[in-house]
Amino acid sequence: MLELRGISYYAETRNETVRILDDINIKFEDRKLYVITGPNGGGKSSLARIIMGINRPTAGRLSLDGEDITDLDITSRARLGIGYAFQNPPRFKGINVKQLLDISVQSEQVGQTDKKACDTCALLNNVGLCASEYLHRDADTSLSGGEMKRIEIASILSRNLKFAVFDEPEAGIDLWSFAKLAETFENMHRTRNTTIVIISHQERILELADEVIVISGGKIEEVTTKQKILAEITHTSDCSCGTDCGKGVGMNA
Ligand SMILES: Nc1ncnc2c1ncn2[C@@H]1O[C@H](COP(=O)(O)OP(=O)(O)OP(=O)(O)O)[C@@H](O)[C@H]1O
Ligand SMILES: [Mg+2]
């Protein structure tokens, strides 16, 4: 179980201190699939960065299976089995897609060369990419945003993680590949022991959730069920402004 207790995060800008996360308390239970949703700028990616150890909380503690991990860096958290697929994945100069995926697979399957090659192809298929077209492409800016996004998701899928966070996996991904990706998450949840957190605004992803966490204004606004949140989304707006402004559909939009 990953537990966050009293997590706050403040960032320093040139002339002020900005409160980004405020007293976040949550327990992520093993093997559950959580969807984190909420308005843009609410603090979802900031929370993911704190879980991965990219940013250090201003206050509060994190623990994994009872072990305090607040002071551990990214590498140590990765060794404990925490992984994060970025909202905007980084590009890599000088390595190709196969090498990038091999780095992840290697850590899981030392010495199983044949299985490794075949797994690399399966990984790309799982995110809707044809292995023969992509394995030897450079993992740099020559890949489109959607291609790089899917390759990064494949690299996270390749690791047998204890806790995986996917930050808006749908961003920039076409409808056909997205359907395949949603199936892949569903399979991952069914067949692996990983606790999965998907930051998403997509109905198809919300449908996969065991629990939905709504983050808004740096706070947890609600921990709820997919049924409730999906009903709220389809609910006609209560706002009387006469436009389709979204007010009254939950999440304090
Ligand atoms: N280093 C920083 N300095 C100043 N403001 C920051 C910093 N990092 C994040 N923020 C602000 O904190 C808020 C939360 O950002 P975050 O990226 O976590 O939002 P989000 O919920 O992931 O939004 P989105 O749905 O658009 O991805 C935003 O208003 C953002 O501008
Ligand atoms: Mg974000």
Side-chain angles (χ1 to χ4, degrees):
M1 181 174 71
L2 183 82
E3 184 174 4
L4 278 62
R5 293 183 307 277
I7 293 290
S8 294
Y9 178 59
Y10 294 74
E12 299 293 334
T13 64
R14 227 180 310 166
N15 40 17
E16 58 176 347
T17 302
V18 190
R19 190 190 63 190
I20 294 172
L21 294 172
D22 185 19
D23 194 24
I24 301 280
N25 292 284
I26 191 146
K27 289 178 185 171
F28 293 100
E29 287 171 32
D30 290 346
R31 291 182 289 278
K32 277 195 170 181
L33 192 156
Y34 295 85
V35 174
I36 299 184
T37 194
N40 294 136
K44 303 176 296 297
S45 297
S46 302
L47 186 65
R49 293 167 73 86
I50 293 229
I51 290 173
M52 193 63 238
I54 300 164
N55 293 337
R56 210 189 133 71
T58 311
R61 310 297 299 178
L62 294 89
S63 61
L64 182 67
D65 296 335
E67 180 192 348
D68 194 306
I69 60 165
T70 318
D71 298 325
L72 297 187
D73 62 12
I74 307 176
T75 314
S76 311
R77 292 192 203 191
R79 283 202 192 104
L80 288 178
I82 300 176
Y84 174 46
F86 286 82
Q87 186 166 357
N88 299 304
R91 312 301 179 110
F92 300 89
K93 264 193 179 163
I95 61 170
N96 66 26
V97 171
K98 182 172 184 314
Q99 289 164 328
L100 179 66
L101 292 175
D102 280 353
I103 293 167
S104 309
V105 177
Q106 241 158 30
S107 54
E108 305 296 329
Q109 298 168 350
V110 179
Q112 299 178 43
T113 317
D114 290 347
K115 185 164 188 301
K116 193 176 76 185
C118 140
D119 281 354
T120 310
C121 296
L123 281 169
L124 287 176
N125 289 337
N126 280 339
V127 293
L129 292 174
C130 171
S132 61
E133 271 179 45
Y134 285 94
L135 278 178
H136 299 288
R137 293 276 307 270
D138 290 331
D140 61 9
T141 48
S142 65
L143 290 166
S144 77
E147 287 168 339
M148 192 60 221
K149 186 92 183 158
R150 285 187 276 164
I151 288 160
E152 202 212 18
I153 292 168
S155 81
I156 293 291
L157 293 171
S158 72
R159 297 169 54 205
N160 196 13
L161 290 170
K162 180 163 187 54
F163 194 93
V165 185
F166 298 91
D167 198 341
E168 296 198 26
E170 69 267 18
I173 296 203
D174 63 70
L175 290 175
W176 298 269
S177 311
F178 176 63
K180 176 78 186 163
L181 203 58
E183 259 176 47
T184 298
F185 287 129
E186 206 166 11
N187 279 339
M188 184 185 187
H189 185 35
R190 208 175 37 239
T191 59
R192 298 215 201 158
N193 289 329
T194 312
T195 304
I196 303 168
V197 176
I198 308 178
I199 297 171
S200 178
H201 307 286
Q202 280 293 322
E203 219 172 309
R204 175 73 181 97
I205 298 290
L206 282 162
E207 281 167 1
L208 303 177
D210 294 316
E211 280 187 43
V212 178
I213 300 164
V214 181
I215 294 190
S216 175
K219 289 175 178 286
I220 293 185
E221 187 174 288
E222 197 179 8
V223 178
T224 184
T225 61
K226 59 185 166 199
Q227 289 82 2
K228 184 155 177 272
I229 206 93
L230 288 168
E232 281 175 7
I233 287 168
T234 48
H235 185 258
T236 317
S237 169
D238 291 333
C239 184
S240 57
C241 74
T243 68
D244 191 16
C245 70
K247 277 221 169 124
V249 294
M251 297 185 204
N252 290 343

